[in-house]
Amino acid sequence: MAPGSRAAIEAAGVVVGGQRQLDLLPTGVKAERVAWPSPLRPSVRPLVERHAPRGLVVLASGDPMWHGIGRTLLAEVGADYDIEVLPHPGSVSLACARLGWPVEQTTVVSLLTQPADVLRRHLHDGALVLVLSRDESTPAEVAAVLADAGFGDSSVTVLGDLGSLAESIVRGTSGEIPRLNVVAVECVGKGEQVTPGLPDEGFEHDGQLTKREIRAVTLSALAPRPGELLWDVGGGAGSIAIEWLRAAHSCRAIAIEQDRTRADRITKNAAALGVPSLEVVVGSAPAALEGLEAPDVVFVGGGLTTDGVLDAAWAALKPGGRLVANAVTLESQADLVRYREKLGGTLTRLEVARSTEVGRFTGWRPAMPVVQWSAKKVSTGSTTERQS
């Protein structure tokens, strides 16, 4: 530890931390040692209020502001207490130093609370990926994802107990793995494209899939922004919600699908494409929309002719939010024309044709045209204005 950190601990009346951290303190530390209870977050404020008058120090592993306790403390009691943060090199800095990796060119993926499938979206040839492990089982999970994603030839290094006398660096995932570890991956393989419009064959589906070209245009109309929540109503194969989530790490999405088999398929597709955070609601709109968190953006790809679906989606949409709906049948297209007359927005007709063999020659095979309605909900006070 740096001298300032050591001095703070030596002067403390109470030291709070994980039991493992408390056990590492020298015997010369006279402060009362208090272990965090579980669950941790509800206990933060009571513990701080109880012990702050005696001089409180909270232990962190490495940098308290990097997936650490510092963020939690500031969020829970930062407005009421003067909190001084004393950082120390964390596992990311230590691992990159041992490997000779530039930190700014290294992608860090935390599996502390996420499933290993989130790793998939970060895999591309030549990428340097550092995985923060949950425990000793994580390296094997990482290796399994790499193999399944076509990155089985990647170089994997497990770094254990970084910064301690027991520090270890092992190539591969065989042998004894310490509980405290990070996994370094030098990627070898071909990952998915980063722009919207993934190949159709990248999704399992039963025909209910927004095709690649239409999907790319639809994502452009939806215009994902970090932190926004999307409702994908009539999810089908989940392609719109999945590509929405891939647009930015902090994007969120809920797919609503009435068919259980399709809903399960959406979950599987989301995991395979690195966005297992996609929430899937099984039910029929508009009833299934009740009680869901209000969306910033809504896409309606199915159920347009069902009474109340568009009305419910528009009513739930936050002021300033966006709604995009795609229609193939004449009946659903007529519905979009009526909504355009009532609420404004833009109608766009999308037509795509793909080349196909015609005997010894080549011709065009057109897909069914799609009419897309895109509108923004503008609110002044309690009145929703028409936007064209």
Side-chain angles (χ1 to χ4, degrees), residues 99 101-102 105-109 119-131 146 151 153-156 183-191 194:
L99 297 166
W101 288 7
Q105 296 178 17
T106 300
T107 299
V108 180
V109 181
L119 182 63
R120 295 175 185 266
R121 65 182 300 183
H122 303 285
L123 302 177
H124 63 85
D125 195 50
L128 302 177
V129 181
L130 199 63
V131 180
L146 292 173
F151 283 79
D153 292 332
S154 300
S155 174
V156 177
V183 184
V185 182
E186 297 181 72
C187 295
V188 176
K190 187 177 180 181
V194 295

Side-chain angles (χ1 to χ4, degrees), residues 105-118:
Q105 296 178 17
T106 300
T107 299
V108 180
V109 181
S110 174
L111 299 188
L112 298 174
T113 58
Q114 301 181 98
D117 282 321
V118 300

Side-chain angles (χ1 to χ4, degrees), residues 189-202:
K190 187 177 180 181
E192 298 288 351
Q193 67 190 58
V194 295
T195 57
L198 293 174
D200 294 345
E201 55 268 24

